[in-house]
Amino acid sequence: RRANGGSFRADVSLSAAELDGEAHITAIVRDVTAQRELERQLLRAQKLEAVGRVTASVAHDFNNLLSAIRLSAYLARSGGPEALVELDAITATVDRAEHLVRQLLAYPARTRRRPQIVDPVAEVTARRPLLETLLSTRGRLELELSVGAGVFSIDPGDLEQILVNLLMNARDALSQD
């Protein structure tokens, strides 16, 4: 307790010594109130930084989806038989955006992802039209898929996000050349 009666957190260090045949104990009391407050502030800052990283990642993912929607809408505006394919791509991308929003809404509740056993060749092949649409005229999509490569466990939405992010990053890199 302080002289005014208030309490405080303290670290206490005790040491024993013998002096002229008598046992003595030395106590060092250090007020750690300010240190604990700094530790709490650091923890809050770290939590905010983590939220910022998650927010930036989500914003990047959502921006990728919006880019795909914008490109597909632009191509659909040109008409022709490809317009229906582009409209299907828009619908599929909106579905993925809705999935991302559901993940965001579930985040505070800490809802777990639902990994499934998937065949990567089948999953990539099924998403090829979307990936080609995302790439547009800025490049050509070449896939070297190893049939029989095995299976793995992943949330299908996560796999799709990984593929979209890889392609969008590659497309952005191509446009910088």
Side-chain angles (χ1 to χ4, degrees), residues 14-88:
L14 301 173
S15 61
E18 189 173 313
L19 183 63
D20 295 331
E22 291 183 31
H24 294 273
I25 297 177
T26 304
I28 299 174
V29 179
R30 189 170 56 106
D31 183 347
V32 293
T33 305
Q35 179 182 347
R36 294 289 162 91
E37 179 57 30
L38 287 173
E39 288 170 357
R40 279 193 292 275
Q41 288 176 3
L42 176 61
L43 183 59
R44 278 192 298 263
Q46 288 171 335
K47 285 179 183 178
L48 285 173
E49 181 182 354
V51 167
R53 283 194 306 268
V54 168
T55 302
S57 175
V58 168
H60 179 75
D61 290 348
F62 205 73
N63 190 49
N64 288 345
L65 292 172
L66 292 175
S67 294
I69 293 168
R70 182 180 295 112
L71 176 63
S72 295
Y74 174 79
L75 293 173
R77 258 193 239 136
S78 66
E82 300 87 21
L84 288 177
V85 173
E86 294 307 321
L87 291 172
D88 287 342

Side-chain angles (χ1 to χ4, degrees), residues 119-129 131 141 143 145 159 163:
D119 174 0
V121 172
E123 295 295 322
V124 171
T125 301
R127 286 165 177 79
R128 184 181 190 123
L131 299 174
L141 179 64
L143 298 174
L145 304 173
L159 176 61
L163 293 171

